[in-house]
Amino acid sequence: MRQGIPLTEEDRIPWLKILQDALRESLVSGKTVVLGCSALQKRYREILRSADCNYVPGSYNSLVKFVLLDAKAEVLAERLNKRAAEGKHFMPAKLLQSQLELLQIDNSEAICKVDGTLKPQALVNAIKTLIVGSA
Ligand SMILES: Nc1ncnc2c1ncn2[C@@H]1O[C@H](COP(=O)(O)OP(=O)(O)O)[C@@H](O)[C@H]1O
Ligand SMILES: O=C(O)[C@H](O)[C@@H](O)[C@H](O)[C@H](O)COP(=O)(O)O
């Protein structure tokens, strides 16, 4: 990524399986955990949903829930450019386009969306309301 080359499927799948294991560990021990992950494609999200041992593939009914921090490409590009200019992150803003092209949001999955332009605390409150039912 540092060289401006997007990750491939082969790069992502083993990583998603590691994340699946981490989620399963939390679920089994009864802990609630929040994971930040691009999970751009439906098949990637299915790997994460399957952390729930009772998950039936394709049902989208898992203990693992997804929230999309929804923001326009221009907003994301501005943030990434700012971050890249600070020189502290491996991902150049030019990789954004390849990620947006892969991003697959299918209404059948009923993924919660929150306004990604909100301030962090407002985002947390919105997500709590959506997932847990109270802020
Ligand atoms: N709600 C927000 N408001 C303003 N800037 C944000 C917000 N969320 C993220 N950012 C900034 O955008 C950049 C990318 O955010 P990050 O959370 O690292 O996203 P990702 O890991 O998905 O690339 C970071 O520099 C971060 O500070
Ligand atoms: O902080 C960021 O800018 C991104 O989260 C970045 O870390 C990237 O998204 C991941 O490395 C996974 O790559 P993919 O999004 O291409 O799967």
Side-chain angles (χ1 to χ4, degrees), residues 79-80 83 116 118-120 123:
R79 288 178 183 174
L80 294 186
R83 187 175 70 178
L118 295 173
K119 292 207 172 6
L123 275 171

Side-chain angles (χ1 to χ4, degrees), residues 79-124:
R79 288 178 183 174
L80 294 186
N81 278 320
K82 182 168 173 277
R83 187 175 70 178
E86 287 162 4
K88 291 188 196 135
H89 198 275
F90 59 85
M91 181 177 154
K94 70 182 239 199
L95 284 182
L96 176 62
Q97 189 53 36
S98 65
Q99 291 186 319
L100 292 177
E101 281 164 16
L102 269 189
L103 179 63
Q104 182 184 42
I105 293 297
D106 183 333
N107 286 338
S108 66
E109 290 179 73
I111 292 173
C112 296
K113 280 189 196 180
V114 295
D115 176 358
T117 65
L118 295 173
K119 292 207 172 6
Q121 189 57 54
L123 275 171
V124 170

